[in-house]
Amino acid sequence: MFDLTRRNNHQVNTYNPFREMEEFERNFFSSPWNSFFGMQDLAEFKTDVTDEGDHYLLEADLPGFDKKDIHLDISGDTLTVQAERHSKVEEKDKKDKIVRMERSYGSYSRQFDVSGIDTENIKAKYDNGVLKLTLPKKEQKPLPASKKLEIE
């Protein structure tokens, strides 16, 4: 006897130009400059935030930055962490003969809501490419016990 099972299990995909346009449009409008400059990770850096009881600990990966190029600003209830990495090409050093450059350069920025944080006592430390921010929580005032209101 002979085997009647199908040997070619590949799904046949027909060319659909609209699928490619939809993907291009989705990528372009979600982050327009990434598709042109290949900077998928340039605009933001990765962070972890943990609740340590009386404070939050924010750890941000910023490898390769100088401490002087990291800026922390608080405006209202928003904490902005910004870091800038400068390119060797900007220095116009004629002795430097770059064959290939894959590391990204530019400005990185993230913003965080600090409405529940005691912003006067935030502490920052930068060590081995990791920025650590200790964000103490505001003391919660206990809600007053119920009270009766008199009607006039």
Side-chain angles (χ1 to χ4, degrees):
M1 299 291 283
F2 55 93
D3 189 10
L4 293 176
T5 59
R6 185 176 179 178
R7 300 229 185 261
N8 184 359
N9 291 330
H10 300 292
Q11 181 180 0
V12 177
N13 287 329
T14 58
Y15 175 70
N16 182 351
F18 297 108
R19 185 179 326 126
E20 290 180 13
M21 286 302 294
E22 287 173 359
E23 184 177 334
F24 173 77
E25 182 180 10
R26 186 172 38 255
N27 290 337
F28 180 80
F29 287 110
S30 66
S31 50
W33 304 116
N34 289 354
S35 55
F36 291 113
F37 301 114
M39 296 184 286
Q40 285 79 10
D41 294 328
L42 181 63
E44 66 180 38
F45 44 87
K46 306 299 181 205
T47 61
D48 293 334
V49 179
T50 56
D51 187 344
E52 301 293 327
D54 62 339
H55 69 277
Y56 294 103
L57 178 64
L58 185 146
E59 295 176 295
D61 286 342
L62 294 168
F65 286 93
D66 289 333
K67 185 176 166 180
K68 65 180 175 47
D69 293 329
I70 300 172
H71 306 285
L72 305 173
D73 297 307
I74 297 175
S75 178
D77 286 339
T78 304
L79 166 68
T80 302
V81 179
Q82 184 175 9
E84 190 170 352
R85 184 178 295 145
H86 301 282
S87 169
K88 289 182 180 180
V89 176
E90 291 176 1
E91 296 170 7
K92 306 288 184 195
D93 185 3
K94 293 182 181 180
K95 295 177 185 176
D96 193 11
K97 297 182 176 143
I98 298 172
V99 175
R100 181 179 180 103
M101 183 177 288
E102 292 183 345
R103 296 184 301 161
S104 57
Y105 297 92
S107 181
Y108 299 73
S109 180
R110 292 280 304 265
Q111 292 186 324
F112 302 91
D113 177 26
V114 290
S115 57
I117 302 299
D118 177 7
T119 56
E120 298 296 320
N121 294 308
I122 293 176
K123 294 188 173 139
K125 182 179 178 184
Y126 182 67
D127 188 34
N128 290 327
V130 178
L131 175 68
K132 292 183 180 184
L133 297 175
T134 302
L135 308 166
K137 295 178 183 179
K138 282 185 181 174
E139 287 191 31
Q140 299 276 337
K141 294 180 182 175
L143 295 174
S146 64
K147 72 177 193 180
K148 291 193 177 235
L149 298 175
E150 295 297 324
I151 301 174
E152 294 180 15

PDB file of all heavy atoms in Angstrom, residues 16-17 19 26 29 37-39 42 58 61-62 64 67 78 94 103 106 111 114-115 117 121 125 136 140 144:
ATOM      1  N   ASN A  16       0.082  40.166  -0.094  1.00  0.00           N
ATOM      2  CA  ASN A  16      -0.944  41.161   0.190  1.00  0.00           C
ATOM      3  C   ASN A  16      -0.240  42.491   0.436  1.00  0.00           C
ATOM      4  O   ASN A  16       0.300  42.716   1.517  1.00  0.00           O
ATOM      5  CB  ASN A  16      -1.749  40.748   1.422  1.00  0.00           C
ATOM      6  CG  ASN A  16      -2.863  41.723   1.740  1.00  0.00           C
ATOM      7  OD1 ASN A  16      -2.964  42.792   1.157  1.00  0.00           O
ATOM      8  ND2 ASN A  16      -3.719  41.342   2.678  1.00  0.00           N
ATOM      9  N   PRO A  17      -0.239  43.398  -0.543  1.00  0.00           N
ATOM     10  CA  PRO A  17       0.466  44.672  -0.362  1.00  0.00           C
ATOM     11  C   PRO A  17      -0.139  45.529   0.739  1.00  0.00           C
ATOM     12  O   PRO A  17       0.541  46.332   1.349  1.00  0.00           O
ATOM     13  CB  PRO A  17       0.336  45.349  -1.727  1.00  0.00           C
ATOM     14  CG  PRO A  17      -0.843  44.713  -2.369  1.00  0.00           C
ATOM     15  CD  PRO A  17      -0.903  43.313  -1.838  1.00  0.00           C
ATOM     16  N   ARG A  19      -1.174  44.484   3.650  1.00  0.00           N
ATOM     17  CA  ARG A  19      -0.625  44.049   4.926  1.00  0.00           C
ATOM     18  C   ARG A  19       0.683  44.777   5.207  1.00  0.00           C
ATOM     19  O   ARG A  19       0.930  45.238   6.325  1.00  0.00           O
ATOM     20  CB  ARG A  19      -0.400  42.534   4.922  1.00  0.00           C
ATOM     21  CG  ARG A  19       0.058  42.012   6.269  1.00  0.00           C
ATOM     22  CD  ARG A  19       0.268  40.499   6.324  1.00  0.00           C
ATOM     23  NE  ARG A  19      -0.650  39.758   5.497  1.00  0.00           N
ATOM     24  CZ  ARG A  19      -0.267  38.865   4.571  1.00  0.00           C
ATOM     25  NH1 ARG A  19       1.006  38.600   4.392  1.00  0.00           N
ATOM     26  NH2 ARG A  19      -1.149  38.218   3.847  1.00  0.00           N
ATOM     27  N   ARG A  26       1.516  51.338  11.053  1.00  0.00           N
ATOM     28  CA  ARG A  26       1.489  51.091  12.493  1.00  0.00           C
ATOM     29  C   ARG A  26       2.849  51.440  13.117  1.00  0.00           C
ATOM     30  O   ARG A  26       2.925  52.119  14.132  1.00  0.00           O
ATOM     31  CB  ARG A  26       1.132  49.628  12.755  1.00  0.00           C
ATOM     32  CG  ARG A  26       0.932  49.283  14.201  1.00  0.00           C
ATOM     33  CD  ARG A  26       0.395  47.864  14.431  1.00  0.00           C
ATOM     34  NE  ARG A  26       0.917  46.837  13.557  1.00  0.00           N
ATOM     35  CZ  ARG A  26       0.245  46.286  12.538  1.00  0.00           C
ATOM     36  NH1 ARG A  26      -0.986  46.679  12.264  1.00  0.00           N
ATOM     37  NH2 ARG A  26       0.796  45.351  11.789  1.00  0.00           N
ATOM     38  N   PHE A  29       3.507  55.492  12.850  1.00  0.00           N
ATOM     39  CA  PHE A  29       2.772  56.370  13.746  1.00  0.00           C
ATOM     40  C   PHE A  29       2.998  56.062  15.216  1.00  0.00           C
ATOM     41  O   PHE A  29       2.773  56.905  16.068  1.00  0.00           O
ATOM     42  CB  PHE A  29       1.277  56.363  13.401  1.00  0.00           C
ATOM     43  CG  PHE A  29       0.994  57.115  12.138  1.00  0.00           C
ATOM     44  CD1 PHE A  29       0.601  56.449  11.004  1.00  0.00           C
ATOM     45  CD2 PHE A  29       1.177  58.478  12.082  1.00  0.00           C
ATOM     46  CE1 PHE A  29       0.363  57.140   9.832  1.00  0.00           C
ATOM     47  CE2 PHE A  29       0.945  59.188  10.914  1.00  0.00           C
ATOM     48  CZ  PHE A  29       0.533  58.511   9.783  1.00  0.00           C
ATOM     49  N   PHE A  37      15.764  55.789  11.415  1.00  0.00           N
ATOM     50  CA  PHE A  37      17.106  55.819  11.980  1.00  0.00           C
ATOM     51  C   PHE A  37      17.484  54.551  12.732  1.00  0.00           C
ATOM     52  O   PHE A  37      18.577  54.447  13.250  1.00  0.00           O
ATOM     53  CB  PHE A  37      17.268  57.029  12.912  1.00  0.00           C
ATOM     54  CG  PHE A  37      17.031  58.332  12.206  1.00  0.00           C
ATOM     55  CD1 PHE A  37      15.961  59.129  12.545  1.00  0.00           C
ATOM     56  CD2 PHE A  37      17.870  58.739  11.197  1.00  0.00           C
ATOM     57  CE1 PHE A  37      15.745  60.323  11.893  1.00  0.00           C
ATOM     58  CE2 PHE A  37      17.655  59.934  10.532  1.00  0.00           C
ATOM     59  CZ  PHE A  37      16.586  60.722  10.889  1.00  0.00           C
ATOM     60  N   GLY A  38      16.580  53.607  12.835  1.00  0.00           N
ATOM     61  CA  GLY A  38      16.892  52.345  13.503  1.00  0.00           C
ATOM     62  C   GLY A  38      17.178  52.503  14.981  1.00  0.00           C
ATOM     63  O   GLY A  38      18.021  51.829  15.530  1.00  0.00           O
ATOM     64  N   MET A  39      16.458  53.404  15.668  1.00  0.00           N
ATOM     65  CA  MET A  39      16.730  53.691  17.076  1.00  0.00           C
ATOM     66  C   MET A  39      15.615  53.134  17.954  1.00  0.00           C
ATOM     67  O   MET A  39      14.950  53.872  18.657  1.00  0.00           O
ATOM     68  CB  MET A  39      16.851  55.195  17.286  1.00  0.00           C
ATOM     69  CG  MET A  39      18.001  55.813  16.570  1.00  0.00           C
ATOM     70  SD  MET A  39      18.184  57.551  16.939  1.00  0.00           S
ATOM     71  CE  MET A  39      16.839  58.258  16.015  1.00  0.00           C
ATOM     72  N   LEU A  42      16.534  53.937  21.660  1.00  0.00           N
ATOM     73  CA  LEU A  42      17.175  55.210  21.963  1.00  0.00           C
ATOM     74  C   LEU A  42      16.337  56.075  22.893  1.00  0.00           C
ATOM     75  O   LEU A  42      16.852  56.713  23.783  1.00  0.00           O
ATOM     76  CB  LEU A  42      17.475  55.981  20.671  1.00  0.00           C
ATOM     77  CG  LEU A  42      18.177  57.319  20.845  1.00  0.00           C
ATOM     78  CD1 LEU A  42      19.547  57.093  21.467  1.00  0.00           C
ATOM     79  CD2 LEU A  42      18.307  58.032  19.529  1.00  0.00           C
ATOM     80  N   LEU A  58      13.733  52.927  42.759  1.00  0.00           N
ATOM     81  CA  LEU A  58      13.736  52.969  41.298  1.00  0.00           C
ATOM     82  C   LEU A  58      15.159  52.702  40.838  1.00  0.00           C
ATOM     83  O   LEU A  58      16.085  53.390  41.263  1.00  0.00           O
ATOM     84  CB  LEU A  58      13.260  54.335  40.807  1.00  0.00           C
ATOM     85  CG  LEU A  58      13.094  54.493  39.302  1.00  0.00           C
ATOM     86  CD1 LEU A  58      11.938  55.432  39.007  1.00  0.00           C
ATOM     87  CD2 LEU A  58      14.339  55.009  38.635  1.00  0.00           C
ATOM     88  N   ASP A  61      18.709  51.346  34.291  1.00  0.00           N
ATOM     89  CA  ASP A  61      19.926  50.929  33.602  1.00  0.00           C
ATOM     90  C   ASP A  61      20.396  52.039  32.676  1.00  0.00           C
ATOM     91  O   ASP A  61      19.713  52.383  31.708  1.00  0.00           O
ATOM     92  CB  ASP A  61      19.678  49.657  32.785  1.00  0.00           C
ATOM     93  CG  ASP A  61      19.568  48.417  33.645  1.00  0.00           C
ATOM     94  OD1 ASP A  61      20.009  48.474  34.810  1.00  0.00           O
ATOM     95  OD2 ASP A  61      19.055  47.401  33.151  1.00  0.00           O
ATOM     96  N   LEU A  62      21.556  52.602  32.995  1.00  0.00           N
ATOM     97  CA  LEU A  62      22.155  53.664  32.186  1.00  0.00           C
ATOM     98  C   LEU A  62      23.641  53.369  31.982  1.00  0.00           C
ATOM     99  O   LEU A  62      24.499  54.147  32.383  1.00  0.00           O
ATOM    100  CB  LEU A  62      21.971  55.025  32.875  1.00  0.00           C
ATOM    101  CG  LEU A  62      20.537  55.518  32.990  1.00  0.00           C
ATOM    102  CD1 LEU A  62      20.450  56.701  33.932  1.00  0.00           C
ATOM    103  CD2 LEU A  62      20.001  55.878  31.623  1.00  0.00           C
ATOM    104  N   GLY A  64      27.325  53.132  30.528  1.00  0.00           N
ATOM    105  CA  GLY A  64      28.142  53.930  29.629  1.00  0.00           C
ATOM    106  C   GLY A  64      27.962  55.433  29.746  1.00  0.00           C
ATOM    107  O   GLY A  64      28.538  56.185  28.972  1.00  0.00           O
ATOM    108  N   LYS A  67      28.396  60.359  35.103  1.00  0.00           N
ATOM    109  CA  LYS A  67      27.492  60.890  36.123  1.00  0.00           C
ATOM    110  C   LYS A  67      27.065  62.322  35.800  1.00  0.00           C
ATOM    111  O   LYS A  67      25.917  62.696  35.998  1.00  0.00           O
ATOM    112  CB  LYS A  67      28.197  60.821  37.476  1.00  0.00           C
ATOM    113  CG  LYS A  67      27.386  61.212  38.656  1.00  0.00           C
ATOM    114  CD  LYS A  67      28.222  60.986  39.911  1.00  0.00           C
ATOM    115  CE  LYS A  67      27.643  61.654  41.105  1.00  0.00           C
ATOM    116  NZ  LYS A  67      28.459  61.439  42.302  1.00  0.00           N
ATOM    117  N   THR A  78       6.013  65.548  38.750  1.00  0.00           N
ATOM    118  CA  THR A  78       6.690  64.757  37.723  1.00  0.00           C
ATOM    119  C   THR A  78       8.195  64.793  37.919  1.00  0.00           C
ATOM    120  O   THR A  78       8.800  65.859  37.984  1.00  0.00           O
ATOM    121  CB  THR A  78       6.345  65.294  36.312  1.00  0.00           C
ATOM    122  OG1 THR A  78       4.929  65.287  36.149  1.00  0.00           O
ATOM    123  CG2 THR A  78       6.970  64.437  35.237  1.00  0.00           C
ATOM    124  N   LYS A  94      40.511  63.660  14.160  1.00  0.00           N
ATOM    125  CA  LYS A  94      40.984  63.106  12.897  1.00  0.00           C
ATOM    126  C   LYS A  94      41.816  61.842  13.094  1.00  0.00           C
ATOM    127  O   LYS A  94      41.972  61.049  12.185  1.00  0.00           O
ATOM    128  CB  LYS A  94      41.791  64.154  12.140  1.00  0.00           C
ATOM    129  CG  LYS A  94      40.927  65.315  11.675  1.00  0.00           C
ATOM    130  CD  LYS A  94      41.720  66.324  10.899  1.00  0.00           C
ATOM    131  CE  LYS A  94      40.800  67.470  10.487  1.00  0.00           C
ATOM    132  NZ  LYS A  94      41.505  68.471   9.729  1.00  0.00           N
ATOM    133  N   ARG A 103      26.885  51.624  18.622  1.00  0.00           N
ATOM    134  CA  ARG A 103      26.322  52.151  19.861  1.00  0.00           C
ATOM    135  C   ARG A 103      25.540  53.413  19.555  1.00  0.00           C
ATOM    136  O   ARG A 103      25.949  54.217  18.730  1.00  0.00           O
ATOM    137  CB  ARG A 103      27.416  52.427  20.881  1.00  0.00           C
ATOM    138  CG  ARG A 103      28.127  51.147  21.287  1.00  0.00           C
ATOM    139  CD  ARG A 103      29.141  51.387  22.347  1.00  0.00           C
ATOM    140  NE  ARG A 103      30.146  52.339  21.882  1.00  0.00           N
ATOM    141  CZ  ARG A 103      30.944  53.008  22.688  1.00  0.00           C
ATOM    142  NH1 ARG A 103      30.850  52.857  23.975  1.00  0.00           N
ATOM    143  NH2 ARG A 103      31.834  53.831  22.205  1.00  0.00           N
ATOM    144  N   GLY A 106      22.805  60.060  21.918  1.00  0.00           N
ATOM    145  CA  GLY A 106      21.699  60.994  21.924  1.00  0.00           C
ATOM    146  C   GLY A 106      21.167  61.188  23.326  1.00  0.00           C
ATOM    147  O   GLY A 106      21.817  60.883  24.317  1.00  0.00           O
ATOM    148  N   GLN A 111       9.847  59.933  32.387  1.00  0.00           N
ATOM    149  CA  GLN A 111       9.166  60.722  33.406  1.00  0.00           C
ATOM    150  C   GLN A 111       8.365  59.797  34.304  1.00  0.00           C
ATOM    151  O   GLN A 111       7.811  58.799  33.845  1.00  0.00           O
ATOM    152  CB  GLN A 111       8.247  61.754  32.761  1.00  0.00           C
ATOM    153  CG  GLN A 111       9.020  62.837  32.038  1.00  0.00           C
ATOM    154  CD  GLN A 111       8.123  63.933  31.515  1.00  0.00           C
ATOM    155  OE1 GLN A 111       7.012  63.671  31.091  1.00  0.00           O
ATOM    156  NE2 GLN A 111       8.611  65.162  31.555  1.00  0.00           N
ATOM    157  N   VAL A 114       5.398  61.424  40.823  1.00  0.00           N
ATOM    158  CA  VAL A 114       5.882  61.385  42.205  1.00  0.00           C
ATOM    159  C   VAL A 114       4.898  62.073  43.152  1.00  0.00           C
ATOM    160  O   VAL A 114       5.291  62.639  44.155  1.00  0.00           O
ATOM    161  CB  VAL A 114       7.299  62.014  42.326  1.00  0.00           C
ATOM    162  CG1 VAL A 114       8.331  61.129  41.672  1.00  0.00           C
ATOM    163  CG2 VAL A 114       7.348  63.424  41.761  1.00  0.00           C
ATOM    164  N   SER A 115       3.610  61.981  42.824  1.00  0.00           N
ATOM    165  CA  SER A 115       2.606  62.651  43.654  1.00  0.00           C
ATOM    166  C   SER A 115       2.536  62.086  45.069  1.00  0.00           C
ATOM    167  O   SER A 115       2.213  62.816  45.997  1.00  0.00           O
ATOM    168  CB  SER A 115       1.230  62.587  42.984  1.00  0.00           C
ATOM    169  OG  SER A 115       0.865  61.244  42.733  1.00  0.00           O
ATOM    170  N   ILE A 117       5.151  60.930  46.763  1.00  0.00           N
ATOM    171  CA  ILE A 117       6.540  60.855  47.216  1.00  0.00           C
ATOM    172  C   ILE A 117       6.932  62.112  47.974  1.00  0.00           C
ATOM    173  O   ILE A 117       6.550  63.221  47.607  1.00  0.00           O
ATOM    174  CB  ILE A 117       7.487  60.680  45.996  1.00  0.00           C
ATOM    175  CG1 ILE A 117       7.122  59.429  45.204  1.00  0.00           C
ATOM    176  CG2 ILE A 117       8.943  60.656  46.403  1.00  0.00           C
ATOM    177  CD1 ILE A 117       7.221  58.137  45.967  1.00  0.00           C
ATOM    178  N   ASN A 121      13.171  64.528  50.171  1.00  0.00           N
ATOM    179  CA  ASN A 121      14.108  63.552  50.727  1.00  0.00           C
ATOM    180  C   ASN A 121      14.503  62.450  49.743  1.00  0.00           C
ATOM    181  O   ASN A 121      14.945  61.376  50.162  1.00  0.00           O
ATOM    182  CB  ASN A 121      13.522  62.936  52.002  1.00  0.00           C
ATOM    183  CG  ASN A 121      13.408  63.980  53.097  1.00  0.00           C
ATOM    184  OD1 ASN A 121      14.379  64.668  53.396  1.00  0.00           O
ATOM    185  ND2 ASN A 121      12.228  64.125  53.674  1.00  0.00           N
ATOM    186  N   LYS A 125      21.819  57.690  43.622  1.00  0.00           N
ATOM    187  CA  LYS A 125      23.168  57.127  43.588  1.00  0.00           C
ATOM    188  C   LYS A 125      23.371  56.495  42.219  1.00  0.00           C
ATOM    189  O   LYS A 125      22.476  55.820  41.693  1.00  0.00           O
ATOM    190  CB  LYS A 125      23.319  56.070  44.688  1.00  0.00           C
ATOM    191  CG  LYS A 125      24.694  55.468  44.775  1.00  0.00           C
ATOM    192  CD  LYS A 125      24.757  54.457  45.909  1.00  0.00           C
ATOM    193  CE  LYS A 125      26.138  53.826  45.952  1.00  0.00           C
ATOM    194  NZ  LYS A 125      26.227  52.788  46.964  1.00  0.00           N
ATOM    195  N   PRO A 136      11.195  58.196  49.158  1.00  0.00           N
ATOM    196  CA  PRO A 136      10.412  57.984  50.378  1.00  0.00           C
ATOM    197  C   PRO A 136       8.946  58.368  50.168  1.00  0.00           C
ATOM    198  O   PRO A 136       8.637  59.370  49.534  1.00  0.00           O
ATOM    199  CB  PRO A 136      11.077  58.904  51.410  1.00  0.00           C
ATOM    200  CG  PRO A 136      11.879  59.873  50.629  1.00  0.00           C
ATOM    201  CD  PRO A 136      12.161  59.273  49.292  1.00  0.00           C
ATOM    202  N   GLN A 140       1.144  59.142  55.341  1.00  0.00           N
ATOM    203  CA  GLN A 140      -0.305  59.168  55.185  1.00  0.00           C
ATOM    204  C   GLN A 140      -0.928  59.650  56.489  1.00  0.00           C
ATOM    205  O   GLN A 140      -0.712  59.042  57.532  1.00  0.00           O
ATOM    206  CB  GLN A 140      -0.818  57.763  54.852  1.00  0.00           C
ATOM    207  CG  GLN A 140      -0.267  57.200  53.566  1.00  0.00           C
ATOM    208  CD  GLN A 140      -1.052  57.670  52.363  1.00  0.00           C
ATOM    209  OE1 GLN A 140      -2.199  58.044  52.476  1.00  0.00           O
ATOM    210  NE2 GLN A 140      -0.418  57.664  51.209  1.00  0.00           N
ATOM    211  N   PRO A 144      -9.760  61.214  59.616  1.00  0.00           N
ATOM    212  CA  PRO A 144     -10.417  61.485  60.912  1.00  0.00           C
ATOM    213  C   PRO A 144     -11.570  60.505  61.117  1.00  0.00           C
ATOM    214  O   PRO A 144     -12.185  60.038  60.180  1.00  0.00           O
ATOM    215  CB  PRO A 144     -10.928  62.919  60.749  1.00  0.00           C
ATOM    216  CG  PRO A 144     -10.980  63.172  59.286  1.00  0.00           C
ATOM    217  CD  PRO A 144      -9.946  62.274  58.660  1.00  0.00           C
TER     218      PRO A 144
END
